[in-house]
Amino acid sequence: MAQDPEKFDSAMATWQEWQDAPWGRLRYTLAEANLVRHLDEGSGGGPLRILDLAGGDGGDALRLAARGHHVTVVDLAPAMLAAAEARAVERGLADRVSCLLSDVHALPAEIADGGFDVVLCHNLLQYVDDVPGTLATALAPLKEGGLFSVMAINRHSAPLNVAVRQLDPAAALVALDGDRLRNEMFDSELTLHTAEEIMPVLGELGCREVRHYGIRSFCDYLTDDARKYDPAYYADLERLELATTARAPYMHTARLFQLTARKGPAS
C-alpha cells in the first residue's frame, strides 16, 4: 500500500491532539516502559544509537533522547519531521535527535548499514503489503545482538472495540474474520495483524528472545473517555496498564501489540 505523505502532514493538528489525550499518552508511556526493560542489557548503561523508522513527529524518539540516547527519526512526511525537529529544540534535545526524510524501504546506505543498537518499527506494518520484507528491511540497520521493537494494531482487539464502544455485536461478529480497518485521521485503509502471526516471522528473520507486550489492555474498552482526563483516575489507569502490559491474557486483546527481540542467534 503506497502511502501519501500529505495525508499524514495534513492531519498534524489532530494527531497531536490524539498524542496529548490519555490514550495517546498511555501508548507512549507503555512503549517506553517496555523498551527500558531491555535497553541497558549489554550496553554498559551508555548512550545508544537508535533508529526510529516511520517515527513521525518524534513521539518515541524524544522520550528516548531524554534518557541520553541518540535517535535518528526516518519518515516520509516532511511536516511530521519538521515537528520532530522543533520539539527536540524546544526540549533541549536537538543534539540527540536527527531527522531524515526517506522511504523506509529505500534507506540510504549510511542508515541501512548503520549498525544501530536499537531499531523501532512502530505502527508501520498496518500500512504495508509485504510484512516480512518490511521487517527484513527494518532489521538490516540493526547490529548483531541489537534490540528490535515492532508495534502494530492488534487484530484481536477489533471485535472487542466494535462490540464495546459501538454496541454493535453484528459488526463485531463480522470483525472476527476481518483484517481491515479504516483510519479516518489519516484517511487510510489499514491491514490488521496479530502478535501470534508476527512472532514466527521474526524468528524466520533470525530474531531471538522475542517478548510480547500489550499496549492499552483496558483503556480502549472503558467507554467513559471524559473520566480518563481526571488526573487521579488516569494515574490509576496507568498503573493498571503498566501492571498488565506483559501479563497474560491481557496482552492478547490489548489495542496494540508490541514485540521486542534481539537480532541474531543466541550466544
Side-chain angles (χ1 to χ4, degrees):
M1 290 178 282
Q3 294 301 310
D4 179 3
E6 176 60 28
K7 290 183 178 181
F8 296 90
D9 284 346
S10 62
M12 175 73 72
T14 305
W15 170 240
Q16 292 181 339
E17 288 177 8
W18 183 93
Q19 287 179 305
D20 291 336
W23 35 92
R25 289 155 56 198
L26 283 171
R27 174 261 186 260
Y28 289 101
T29 295
L30 289 161
E32 180 183 14
N34 294 333
L35 287 168
V36 167
R37 296 169 186 252
H38 307 286
L39 285 182
D40 291 337
E41 296 174 1
S43 70
L48 301 172
R49 293 183 65 234
I50 299 175
L51 178 62
D52 187 3
L53 297 174
D57 60 350
D60 286 311
L62 294 172
R63 286 173 174 256
L64 296 171
R67 290 180 171 273
H69 304 299
H70 299 276
V71 189
T72 300
V73 182
V74 174
D75 204 277
L76 262 182
M80 286 281 187
L81 286 178
E85 291 177 335
R87 293 168 76 186
V89 170
E90 178 184 321
R91 301 181 193 188
L93 300 171
D95 60 332
R96 298 182 201 158
V97 177
S98 59
C99 296
L100 174 67
L101 184 68
S102 175
D103 187 333
V104 169
H105 299 94
L107 295 170
E110 64 270 20
I111 298 296
D113 303 324
F116 286 87
D117 299 296
V118 182
V119 172
L120 310 183
C121 182
H122 290 175
N123 293 316
L124 175 61
L125 294 190
Q126 54 259 42
Y127 293 99
V128 304
D129 293 320
D130 181 7
V131 168
T134 297
L135 290 173
T137 298
L139 282 163
L142 186 62
K143 71 180 185 182
E144 195 84 358
L147 180 67
F148 186 58
S149 176
V150 57
M151 181 188 296
I153 297 174
N154 177 19
R155 191 171 75 239
H156 291 320
S157 74
L160 274 171
N161 194 263
V162 171
V164 172
R165 299 195 66 87
Q166 299 178 26
L167 301 176
D168 191 340
L173 183 62
V174 173
L176 286 174
D177 296 314
D179 67 351
R180 297 287 170 154
L181 177 69
R182 185 71 190 171
N183 185 306
E184 300 299 336
M185 185 187 305
F186 297 126
D187 187 25
S188 301
E189 187 80 9
L190 308 181
T191 301
L192 305 185
H193 307 281
T194 68
E196 293 83 357
E197 293 170 344
I198 302 303
M199 291 171 77
V201 179
L202 293 177
E204 291 167 5
L205 292 171
C207 290
R208 57 183 172 84
E209 298 177 26
V210 180
R211 301 288 183 267
H212 179 191
Y213 302 103
I215 304 292
R216 302 202 312 264
S217 298
F218 291 88
C219 177
D220 290 49
Y221 309 123
L222 298 171
T223 57
D224 189 348
D225 287 341
R227 193 175 182 189
K228 297 169 192 173
Y229 285 88
D230 174 77
Y233 185 87
Y234 178 84
D236 286 341
L237 179 58
E238 183 182 83
R239 283 191 289 269
L240 175 63
E241 294 284 4
L242 287 167
T244 54
T245 184
R247 186 168 178 169
Y250 306 103
M251 72 271 209
H252 297 291
T253 54
R255 187 56 173 160
L256 306 165
F257 66 82
Q258 181 181 7
L259 302 175
T260 63
R262 293 285 171 185
K263 180 179 179 180
S267 56

